[in-house]
């Protein structure tokens, strides 16, 4: 053994985990919104937190008791309600410190003991693909100094807001004069980032008031006429009243393909339903009038035609409202690409005395929307090479500004501009509150008045970014609960034919007041723990992992186009925060050339994209294998599509296999694998789709320099001994059957990756030829099934396992000799 190698005891994650409790807590946490750190800013992939029995030896029984004790700590730790429970957190921190002291004692004679095993200082944590910041935040919560890095500037900002900025200003009272005066009287203590949160609330309220003063005229109230009440008994009591509008509901239009109505712009409505709530149904009825039409609003049980709108089938296939002629996808694309796609107001959703009421459109309200004149708009081009963005689908979307109506652009531009005004007000108030006006900005480590004001403005900019997600012409109106939903219900920007345009000043769901509150409520739970640092850095070249504990959640091959999607927010953040973070916003769009995703349109073909991903991910994994602290395993989360169908009808998961190749070639040995299911069963991207369902946590250590070469007989023996219990554990664990085949690769990999070299060819007598490095061999998943068999002595038989191990014409499986 290498004399400089660290002595490392196996960690709990390499032996066993309370998977049921972790998975249940993770799935539950996905449904928590108010106060959850994920509500600070959207990111597209976040991590949240049995066989036959035999008599145990005394040593095994003692180990089992200790394991159960540690399980108890983990089970309490993963509960959302214990996020800030210091008693629960301190139990976990105490175990971490005790484990560290044992590691230091075991490595007291290590040649670099003073550097690597200082018992007075815990190693820091690093996530090189930090994304939404969940892992660095959890490490910080457990008492480790947290380092986060990412190539994407939006991800870097999210991590700054979660782990870097709150500890800088922890325990400080707010600086705004209103709250500061009240707090002085009450003698209130401000724990963690509570003071910072209160200032974000205060200056956000100022922004809302100032925005309404500037553009409130664009959002008029709707008047209920006596004539309308006579037609609609449900509006009794509203005659002559002006109601606050919640949202204006629109449908896109194109010109009819029928020559008789070629000048009529007909609606592309996927439904005419406004409310589907039982007993409160409301719907739009198109009324044909000579060479045109109008929309009336009806209440009561709807006809089937109302549910279908003008939709004929899935995709862009509609019918002409005037003639009944089909509106093909080809016609709609031709019209939209020529700039002739318009929009028509379907109805107005307003707040009545007893809930939502729906009113027919009026010319005045259409004109209020069309009369908006934004003073700026994000004219940066959208990527038109991918169908993950609506711009790649051929419906006339060319720039980011095309995703918004003129009135939405006016609102979003106003709020973005007001971030700078709020920043200056916060700086002046901070100086009056006693913070030094030292001229040192946040990006240079400042903690005085300028830096604090910049910190406040970051959260205000995030709130304005949340408005972008809701105030877009690609949102949805939910008839069941009568409210609008945001654009990013899934990890793409799809086409929407009918959409709501919210009133930011309604004070109801979807208003700026509500959306601001979502941002503010997540801040007090931050800043109570250790130091954090967020850096923009390429994972393939980073040196931040040196001597640190590493856990990471890398990009998922080709599942999510992070950089393309993040430009939706980047173009707005750049406008409001470029003075604060000029380096992060030096480019017009987020960096894409080095992003580790397998996108064929970027690289010319699927094969080239796969090669790019493999080479880049191998470099990134090698950085981790070389730099990570030798006393700890590296944990890597990886999610995958359950299957992809090949031309011959067989299935595989290219992303999963390619990622495993990268892990092997980097010099890692897999010491544990755990399936995690933390997704909501009703998430949109998962309903009826072949999408991300399970994550596999790979527990890896650097393969020893003196790792042995594999002897075929020893390798097969290890497979027979180790795979059956591991596979039974997977089958009885909380992992979906559709994910089982991919997850089962892990236990085999644990055996496979412990060797430095492996036979490239073999004959049936066990002799080998042409030894090759392990990294040149790629395990390939086949199919796996389990059956109960009688008379074999084995309760479960897996067949065939299907690893292609490079043996000459042979495949190892359990068909001829049952395991167990």
């Amino acid at each position: 053994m290498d004399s400089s190698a660290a002595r490392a005891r196996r960690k709990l994650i390499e032996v066993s985990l309370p998977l049921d409790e972790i998975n249940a807590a993770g799935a539950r946490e996905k449904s928590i919104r108010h106060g959850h750190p994920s509500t600070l800013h959207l990111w597209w992939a976040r991590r949240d937190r049995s066989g036959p029995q035999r008599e145990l030896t005394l040593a095994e029984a003692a180990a089992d008791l200790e394991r159960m004790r540690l399980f108890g700590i983990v089970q309490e730790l993963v509960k959302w309600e214990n996020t800030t429970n210091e008693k629960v957190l301190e139990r976990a921190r105490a175990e971490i410190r005790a484990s560290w002291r044992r590691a230091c004692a075991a490595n007291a004679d290590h040649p670099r003991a003073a550097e690597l095993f200082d018992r007075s200082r815990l190693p820091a944590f690093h996530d090189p693909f930090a994304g939404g910041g969940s892992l660095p935040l959890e490490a910080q919560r457990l008492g480790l100094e947290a380092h986060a890095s990412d190539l994407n500037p939006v991800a870097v900002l999210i991590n700054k807001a979660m782990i870097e900025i709150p500890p800088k200003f922890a325990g400080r009272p707010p600086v705004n004069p209103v709250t500061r005066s009240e707090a002085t009287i009450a003698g209130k203590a401000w724990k963690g980032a509570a003071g910072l949160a209160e200032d974000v609330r205060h200056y956000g309220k100022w922004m809302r008031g100032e925005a309404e003063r500037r553009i409130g005229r664009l959002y008029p109230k709707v008047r209920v006429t006596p004539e309308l009440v006579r037609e609609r008994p449900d509006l009794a009591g509203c005659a002559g009243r002006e109601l606050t509008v919640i949202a204006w509901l629109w449908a896109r239009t194109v010109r009819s393909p029928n020559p008789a109505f070629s000048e009529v712009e007909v609606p592309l409505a996927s439904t005419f339903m406004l409310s589907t709530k039982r007993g409160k149904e409301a719907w739009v009825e198109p009324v044909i009038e000579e060479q045109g039409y109008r929309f009336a609003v009806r209440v009561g049980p709807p006809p089937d035609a109302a549910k279908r709108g003008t939709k004929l089938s899935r995709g862009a296939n509609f019918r002409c409202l005037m003639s009944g002629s089909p509106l093909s996808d080809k016609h709609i694309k031709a019209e939209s690409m020529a700039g002739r796609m318009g929009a028509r107001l379907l109805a107005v959703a307003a707040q009545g005395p007893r809930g939502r009421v729906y009113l027919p459109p009026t010319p005045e309200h259409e004109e209020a929307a069309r009369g908006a004149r934004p003073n700026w708009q994000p004219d940066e081009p959208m990527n038109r090479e991918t169908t993950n963005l609506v711009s790649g689908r051929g419906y006339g979307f060319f720039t980011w500004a095309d995703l918004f109506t003129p009135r939405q652009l006016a609102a979003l531009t106003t709020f973005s501009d007001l971030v700078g005004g709020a920043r200056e007000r916060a700086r002046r108030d901070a100086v009056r509150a006693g913070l030094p006006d030292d001229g040192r900005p946040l990006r240079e480590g400042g903690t005085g008045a300028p830096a604090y004001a910049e910190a406040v403005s970051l959260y205000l900019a995030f709130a304005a970014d949340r408005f972008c997600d809701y105030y877009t012409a690609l949102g949805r109106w939910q008839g069941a609960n009568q409210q609008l939903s945001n654009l990013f219900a899934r990890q793409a920007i799809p086409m929407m034919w009918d959409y709501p345009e919210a009133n930011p000043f309604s004070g109801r769901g979807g208003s700026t007041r509500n959306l601001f509150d979502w941002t503010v409520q997540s801040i007090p739970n931050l800043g109570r723990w250790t130091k954090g640092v967020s850096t923009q850095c390429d994972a393939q070249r980073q040196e931040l992992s040196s001597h640190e504990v590493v856990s990471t959640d890398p990009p998922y091959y080709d599942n999510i186009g992070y950089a393309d999607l993040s430009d939706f927010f980047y173009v707005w953040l750049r406008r409001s925060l470029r003075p604060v973070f000029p380096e992060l916003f030096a480019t017009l769009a987020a960096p894409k050339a080095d992003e580790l995703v397998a996108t064929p349109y970027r690289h010319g073909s699927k094969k080239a994209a796969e090669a790019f991903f493999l080479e880049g991910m191998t470099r990134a994994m090698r950085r981790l294998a070389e730099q990570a602290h030798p006393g700890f395993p590296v944990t890597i989360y990886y999610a995958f599509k359950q299957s992809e169908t090949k031309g011959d009808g067989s299935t595989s998961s290219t992303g999963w296999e390619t990622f495993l190749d990268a892990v092997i070639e980097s010099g890692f040995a897999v010491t544990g694998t755990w399936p995690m299911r933390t997704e909501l069963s009703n998430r949109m991207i998962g309903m009826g789709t072949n999408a991300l369902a399970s994550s596999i946590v790979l527990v890896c250590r650097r393969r020893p320099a003196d790792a042995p070469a594999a002897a075929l007989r020893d390798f097969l023996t290890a497979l027979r001994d180790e795979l059956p219990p591991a596979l039974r554990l997977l089958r009885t664990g909380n992992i979906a059957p559709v994910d089982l085949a991919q997850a089962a690769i892990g236990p085999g990999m644990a055996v496979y990756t412990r060797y430095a070299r492996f036979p490239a060819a073999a004959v049936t007598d066990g002799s080998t030829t042409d030894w090759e490095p392990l990294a040149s061999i790629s395990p390939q998943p086949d199919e796996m099934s389990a059956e109960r068999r009688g008379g074999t002595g084995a309760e479960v038989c897996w067949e065939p396992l299907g690893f292609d191990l490079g043996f000459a014409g042979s495949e190892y499986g359990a068909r001829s000799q049952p395991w167990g």
Side-chain angles (χ1 to χ4, degrees):
M1 180 178 287
D2 185 353
S3 61
S4 64
R7 296 185 181 91
R9 297 176 61 181
R10 297 187 75 191
K11 304 300 180 184
L12 181 65
I13 197 170
E14 297 177 277
V15 180
S16 185
L17 283 179
L19 281 181
D20 287 348
E21 290 82 358
I22 292 174
N23 288 336
R28 173 174 173 257
E29 193 167 330
K30 293 286 185 181
S31 65
I32 294 171
R33 289 294 176 262
H34 295 289
H36 195 281
S38 66
T39 63
L40 192 61
H41 194 284
L42 184 144
W43 192 253
W44 295 273
R46 291 181 182 265
R47 288 290 135 218
D48 296 300
R49 316 163 296 145
S50 166
Q53 300 296 310
R54 63 182 177 83
E55 192 171 330
L56 299 177
T57 66
L58 288 176
E60 289 173 327
D64 195 48
L65 286 174
E66 175 63 4
R67 190 175 301 124
M68 291 303 103
R69 185 183 71 83
L70 295 175
F71 274 13
I73 295 174
V74 174
Q75 289 162 359
E76 288 299 306
L77 195 63
V78 298
K79 294 178 181 178
W80 163 248
E81 53 267 30
N82 288 333
T83 298
T84 57
N85 186 324
E86 282 299 316
K87 183 177 180 180
V88 171
L89 292 175
E90 187 51 38
R91 285 182 66 197
R93 293 171 191 152
E95 290 298 330
I96 291 171
R97 291 192 294 267
S99 175
W100 176 239
R101 287 192 295 270
R102 290 193 295 269
C104 292
N107 289 277
D109 57 350
H110 191 280
R112 299 172 63 193
E115 178 186 8
L116 295 176
F117 295 97
D118 180 355
R119 63 180 291 134
S120 65
R121 182 172 59 88
L122 285 172
F125 170 91
H126 179 224
D127 181 354
F129 295 100
S134 298
L135 296 176
L137 181 64
E138 288 303 304
Q140 192 178 56
R141 193 164 69 113
L142 293 174
L144 302 180
E145 181 178 304
H147 293 254
S149 62
D150 204 290
L151 181 63
N152 192 296
V154 177
V156 174
L157 285 175
I158 293 172
N159 280 273
K160 283 184 178 294
M162 292 179 70
I163 68 168
E164 181 177 304
I165 291 174
K168 283 179 178 288
F169 306 104
R172 291 190 184 184
V175 302
N176 76 80
V178 175
T179 311
R180 193 155 51 92
S181 175
E182 294 173 351
T184 301
I185 296 172
K188 181 175 180 179
W190 298 89
K191 295 182 180 180
L196 177 63
E198 186 59 34
D199 277 332
V200 174
R201 186 189 306 277
H202 173 84
Y203 296 107
K205 183 178 180 180
W206 173 81
M207 285 175 60
R208 295 199 308 274
E210 183 63 17
E212 187 166 14
R213 186 184 68 80
R214 295 184 186 184
I215 59 171
R217 69 187 184 283
L218 299 177
Y219 299 90
K221 291 187 176 184
V222 61
R223 186 172 181 272
V224 181
T225 65
E227 294 79 13
L228 185 58
V229 173
R230 283 196 291 272
E231 297 177 11
R232 294 266 306 278
D234 62 299
L235 296 176
C238 294
R241 294 182 58 177
E242 289 191 329
L243 305 180
T244 298
V245 176
I246 303 299
W248 292 265
L249 308 179
W250 300 80
R252 300 189 193 277
T253 62
V254 295
R255 292 189 179 186
S256 172
N258 189 305
F261 303 100
S262 59
E263 297 302 314
V264 180
E265 296 181 351
V266 293
L268 307 173
S270 59
T271 181
F272 283 131
M273 293 302 302
L274 303 173
S275 170
T276 58
K277 189 173 183 179
R278 185 181 295 274
K280 294 186 177 181
E281 295 90 348
W283 47 283
V284 170
E285 180 185 32
V287 180
I288 308 298
E289 297 178 335
E290 297 181 357
Q291 292 297 305
Y293 61 92
R294 64 181 175 87
F295 292 124
V297 174
R298 309 299 186 200
V299 294
D304 289 340
K307 300 174 184 177
R308 296 191 301 269
T310 60
K311 205 92 163 62
L312 288 179
S313 61
R314 187 174 181 178
N317 294 286
F318 293 83
R319 62 177 176 83
C320 172
L321 185 64
M322 302 299 297
S323 65
S325 303
L327 290 166
S328 68
D329 180 61
K330 183 178 179 180
H331 173 76
I332 293 171
K333 284 184 176 179
E335 287 289 295
S336 56
M337 293 298 284
R340 292 192 293 270
M341 180 177 283
R344 184 83 176 256
L345 187 59
L346 288 171
V348 177
Q351 184 61 32
R354 294 177 297 277
R356 299 279 191 272
V357 296
Y358 297 92
L359 306 172
T362 66
E364 294 79 15
H365 277 260
E366 284 216 14
E367 182 54 36
R370 302 188 195 282
R373 298 290 182 268
N375 59 17
W376 178 85
Q377 59 185 30
D379 285 328
E380 290 78 8
M382 294 180 70
N383 185 346
R384 293 171 59 193
E385 301 296 326
T386 172
T387 56
N388 280 336
L389 302 182
V390 68
S391 53
R393 300 187 180 188
Y395 294 120
F397 293 85
F398 302 103
T399 73
W400 291 103
D402 294 334
L403 303 185
F404 307 94
T405 68
R407 182 160 56 179
Q408 288 169 338
L409 286 170
L412 296 174
T413 301
T414 299
F415 277 102
S416 293
D417 291 346
L418 285 170
V419 170
R423 182 163 55 242
E424 180 55 28
R425 294 176 72 89
R427 188 196 64 79
R428 291 198 303 265
D429 290 342
V431 171
R432 296 190 187 103
L435 272 65
D437 194 8
D438 55 11
R440 192 179 178 195
L442 186 65
R443 64 182 178 275
E444 295 178 6
T447 57
Y452 184 75
E454 290 177 343
V456 170
S457 73
L458 171 59
Y459 297 99
L460 293 174
F462 276 8
D465 250 17
R466 182 176 291 279
F467 302 163
C468 298
D469 192 18
Y470 282 82
Y471 303 159
T472 168
L474 292 170
R476 292 182 301 117
W477 181 255
Q478 301 178 33
N481 53 15
Q482 303 182 72
Q483 65 182 27
L484 70 154
S485 66
N486 60 322
L487 164 61
F488 286 108
R490 52 179 171 146
Q491 297 144 340
I493 299 180
M495 183 60 177
M496 296 300 295
W497 301 105
D498 35 71
Y499 58 89
E501 188 182 18
N503 179 359
F505 309 115
S506 70
R508 302 287 176 168
S511 71
T512 54
R513 186 186 70 183
N514 292 51
L515 298 178
F516 255 120
D517 286 346
W518 277 53
T519 298
V520 172
Q521 288 171 6
S522 65
I523 302 174
N525 291 327
L526 307 173
R528 301 188 181 197
W529 307 296
T530 58
K531 174 185 175 182
V533 179
S534 176
T535 309
Q536 186 179 29
C537 182
D538 187 344
Q540 301 175 62
R541 301 170 181 86
Q542 60 87 16
E543 297 182 357
L544 300 173
S545 295
S546 182
H547 307 159
E548 298 193 355
V549 179
V550 175
S551 183
T552 192
D553 183 15
Y556 303 150
Y557 192 63
D558 62 350
N559 290 331
I560 303 173
Y562 303 91
D564 286 329
L565 292 173
S566 67
D567 276 347
F568 176 87
F569 296 114
Y570 181 93
V571 294
W572 293 101
L573 288 171
R574 188 172 188 267
R575 181 169 176 82
S576 56
L577 292 178
R578 191 179 182 190
V580 181
F581 302 104
E583 297 87 357
L584 286 178
F585 294 105
T587 56
L588 293 176
K592 297 177 179 64
D594 292 328
E595 183 187 32
L596 277 179
V597 291
T599 49
Y601 69 83
R602 253 179 229 163
H603 304 286
S605 68
K606 276 192 171 184
K607 185 175 181 181
E610 182 177 339
F612 170 82
F613 180 85
L614 176 59
E615 293 167 9
M617 190 59 70
T618 300
R619 282 194 294 268
M621 292 296 108
R622 186 172 291 125
R623 302 296 289 173
L624 302 185
E626 292 171 353
Q627 296 182 52
H629 198 292
F632 300 90
V634 171
T635 53
I636 307 168
Y637 295 79
Y638 200 77
F640 48 86
K641 291 181 180 179
Q642 291 98 318
S643 63
E644 299 163 359
T645 303
K646 297 180 179 179
D648 60 3
S650 63
T651 60
S652 68
S653 181
T654 303
W656 177 225
E657 295 166 22
T658 307
F659 178 72
L660 285 176
D661 283 344
V663 171
I664 295 169
E665 293 188 19
S666 71
F668 271 130
V670 178
T671 61
T673 58
W674 303 102
M676 297 288 181
R677 287 190 68 83
T678 58
E679 302 296 338
L680 288 172
S681 60
N682 65 343
R683 73 199 193 286
M684 177 171 286
I685 196 171
M687 292 189 291
T689 66
N690 176 28
L692 307 181
S694 289
S695 293
I696 301 300
V697 183
L698 297 176
V699 187
C700 306
R701 289 186 184 266
R702 187 174 183 179
R703 192 180 303 113
D706 57 354
L712 179 61
R713 187 178 303 279
D714 292 341
F715 175 71
L716 297 182
T717 299
L719 284 178
R720 290 191 183 96
D721 290 344
E722 298 180 31
L723 257 63
L727 296 176
R728 280 194 291 270
L729 179 63
L730 287 178
R731 185 167 174 79
T732 58
N734 188 24
I735 181 168
V738 72
D739 301 317
L740 196 56
Q742 303 301 336
I745 295 175
M749 292 294 295
V751 177
Y752 184 76
T753 58
R754 72 179 57 152
Y755 301 104
R757 295 170 65 83
F758 208 82
V763 292
T764 54
D765 62 3
S767 62
T768 61
T769 60
D770 298 331
W771 289 79
E772 294 183 357
L774 172 64
S776 67
I777 303 169
S778 300
Q780 303 293 326
D782 196 347
E783 60 181 292
M784 182 175 62
S785 62
E787 303 175 356
R788 290 182 180 272
R789 291 193 173 189
T792 63
E795 183 179 3
V796 178
C797 174
W798 300 89
E799 61 171 277
L801 181 63
F803 283 99
D804 177 4
L805 297 171
F807 300 156
S810 69
E811 182 182 72
Y812 179 75
R815 196 177 296 275
S816 60
Q817 181 177 349
W819 298 324

